[in-house]
Amino acid sequence: MAVPIAVLDCDLLLYGRGHRTLDRFKLEDVTDEYLVSTYGFPRQFICYLVDLLGATLSRPTQRSRAISPETQILAALGFYTSGSFQTRMGDAIGISQASMSRCVANVTEALVERASQFIHFPKDEATVQTLKDDFYGLAGMPGVLGVVDCTHVAIKAPNAEDLSYVNRKGLHSLNCLMVCDSRGVLLSAETHWPGSLPDCTVLEQAALTSQFETELRKDGWLLGDSAFLLRTWLMTPLHIPETPAEYRYNMAHSATHNVIERTFRTIRSRFRCLDGSKGTLQYSPEKSSHIILACCVLHNISLQHGLDVWSAPATGHMEQSEEEYEQMESVDSEACRVRQELLLTHFS
């Protein structure tokens, strides 16, 4: 009697019940060029991830045939960097599309668990001073602890009734608030905000605001664009510059803030699952948020390993926020005083 193929696991069809681990693909059997072209990263980086995540990915499982950490990581990297569960990706490492999906889920959660290890503001004074010095070297803007902005990542519609994820372009998305340093290393990443929320509302409700208002550094600030309101810890451009000092301030602000825009382009170039060219992320908002955050963690790890991705061409459709800015006047008189003092001290 014929057995319907649909009820059989693809891994079982290919490799039978005798295999307890699916580790047929060996890193040592292929070149670095192949690994970079297929999975987006060289051998040394992949080996580091195996060491970092191996214990978590080897947790006891109910399944009789566990997939090795190495294979799980390759599967996840393949998805993150290509945005596809195509059969050829699974074939390259010898697992089915269903197993590919499980691997992506496992590796994503393992990376999210370690997000605070790799994405955080420096705390010791020497590192903070280096951070400010590096920003000052870009365009002469003093006291900068990070540049902040939002970017949208397209997701599938959660359900017909939920309009909270529909952005101003009529697309479903997550609005992600991020801060980076002068090299593009992420210092903060909040990836869960519904796409309908404007940038200023996201920041108002974000953990980032609470962090800066409760642990306020008196001698530094973030730089944000005109989508945000001026705060004592957040310097924004002047809407209508009039004096030479105000023009110089705005030019230095723009040149420094451009780092976050380059960082967004870098992330979408490396992690094609986020850039929209393969369609939207086909997950719930929560799972999509975790995938974005996992890519942010990998972005920072790649920079720690000296992988220069700013040289990569910008591609895809990961959307930068395109708010229709109103000429908002800050009601925070202390914030206005801080910006005016900055103008007089450094740009006059």
Side-chain angles (χ1 to χ4, degrees):
M1 175 180 174
V3 179
I5 291 297
V7 303
L8 296 178
D9 182 272
C10 293
D11 297 331
L12 181 61
L13 279 173
L14 289 171
Y15 301 103
R17 296 185 180 275
H19 290 262
R20 298 190 61 80
T21 60
L22 299 176
D23 55 357
R24 294 166 295 280
F25 184 93
K26 299 294 184 182
L27 284 176
E28 58 268 24
D29 293 340
V30 295
T31 65
D32 255 10
E33 290 75 13
Y34 173 82
L35 291 173
V36 171
S37 65
T38 307
Y39 305 104
F41 294 95
R43 186 186 325 276
Q44 183 180 9
F45 182 90
I46 295 169
C47 289
Y48 172 83
L49 292 182
V50 173
D51 290 339
L52 177 69
L53 307 178
T56 301
L57 299 176
S58 299
R59 286 171 180 165
T61 175
Q62 298 277 334
R63 293 172 58 82
S64 61
R65 293 167 295 107
I67 301 176
S68 71
E70 182 179 281
T71 300
Q72 291 184 62
I73 288 167
L74 288 170
L77 291 179
F79 169 70
Y80 298 146
T81 58
S82 73
S84 175
F85 281 128
Q86 291 179 356
T87 303
R88 65 174 183 81
M89 185 63 68
D91 288 347
I93 50 178
I95 62 175
S96 65
Q97 182 172 321
S99 293
M100 278 279 295
S101 181
R102 289 193 296 271
C103 291
V104 171
N106 292 342
V107 174
T108 296
E109 293 310 306
L111 288 168
V112 167
E113 288 176 9
R114 290 160 176 80
S116 61
Q117 177 182 345
F118 294 99
I119 303 175
H120 57 81
F121 283 92
K123 294 184 178 179
D124 64 281
E125 291 186 11
T127 307
V128 170
Q129 187 58 50
T130 299
L131 184 68
K132 292 191 287 188
D133 290 345
D134 289 344
F135 271 119
Y136 186 79
L138 293 179
M141 179 70 76
V144 180
L145 300 170
V147 288
V148 59
D149 208 346
C150 289
T151 190
H152 286 258
V153 177
I155 63 171
K156 73 172 183 179
N159 56 63
E161 292 75 29
D162 189 352
L163 300 180
S164 65
Y165 292 92
V166 179
N167 61 32
R168 58 184 296 270
K169 292 186 174 182
L171 305 174
H172 289 81
S173 67
L174 290 168
N175 195 3
C176 305
L177 178 73
M178 300 185 193
V179 180
C180 74
D181 70 9
S182 63
R183 297 191 305 120
V185 175
L186 294 173
L187 305 175
S188 178
E190 299 184 36
T191 60
H192 61 283
W193 296 102
S196 65
L197 294 181
D199 294 1
C200 59
T201 303
V202 169
L203 182 63
E204 185 70 32
Q205 300 177 11
L208 179 69
T209 293
S210 177
Q211 179 181 2
F212 267 79
E213 291 187 346
T214 58
E215 305 172 12
L216 183 61
R217 297 184 185 276
K218 300 297 184 183
D219 59 344
W221 38 72
L222 302 179
L223 297 187
D225 63 19
S226 298
F228 304 113
L229 281 171
L230 179 71
R231 300 169 184 259
T232 55
W233 50 268
L234 177 66
M235 294 292 102
T236 60
L238 289 137
H239 292 290
I240 306 176
E242 297 177 345
T243 68
E246 290 175 346
Y247 276 102
R248 285 193 289 268
Y249 167 86
N250 270 14
M251 289 178 64
H253 188 293
S254 177
T256 307
H257 188 265
N258 184 56
V259 174
I260 190 71
E261 297 167 10
R262 293 177 66 192
T263 299
F264 288 153
R265 290 196 297 269
T266 291
I267 292 171
R268 73 165 178 255
S269 177
R270 168 150 273 168
F271 303 105
R272 301 295 298 277
C273 69
L274 307 181
D275 75 4
S277 65
K278 300 291 184 180
T280 62
L281 284 174
Q282 297 297 303
Y283 297 92
S284 68
E286 181 181 10
K287 289 184 177 179
S288 295
S289 170
H290 285 185
I291 287 173
I292 300 166
L293 185 55
C295 290
C296 290
V297 172
L298 290 172
H299 167 77
N300 274 10
I301 295 175
S302 70
L303 291 180
Q304 286 182 8
H305 281 72
L307 300 179
D308 179 11
V309 291
W310 275 3
S311 60
T315 58
H317 305 87
M318 182 178 178
E319 295 182 11
Q320 186 92 10
S321 291
E322 296 182 5
E323 304 283 351
E324 292 181 349
Y325 303 141
E326 298 179 4
Q327 187 171 336
M328 299 181 293
E329 292 296 333
S330 176
V331 296
D332 188 337
S333 59
E334 178 63 14
C336 291
R337 185 196 66 77
V338 170
R339 185 170 66 181
Q340 188 61 29
E341 183 177 332
L342 177 59
L343 280 163
L344 293 173
T345 305
H346 292 280
F347 295 98
S348 293

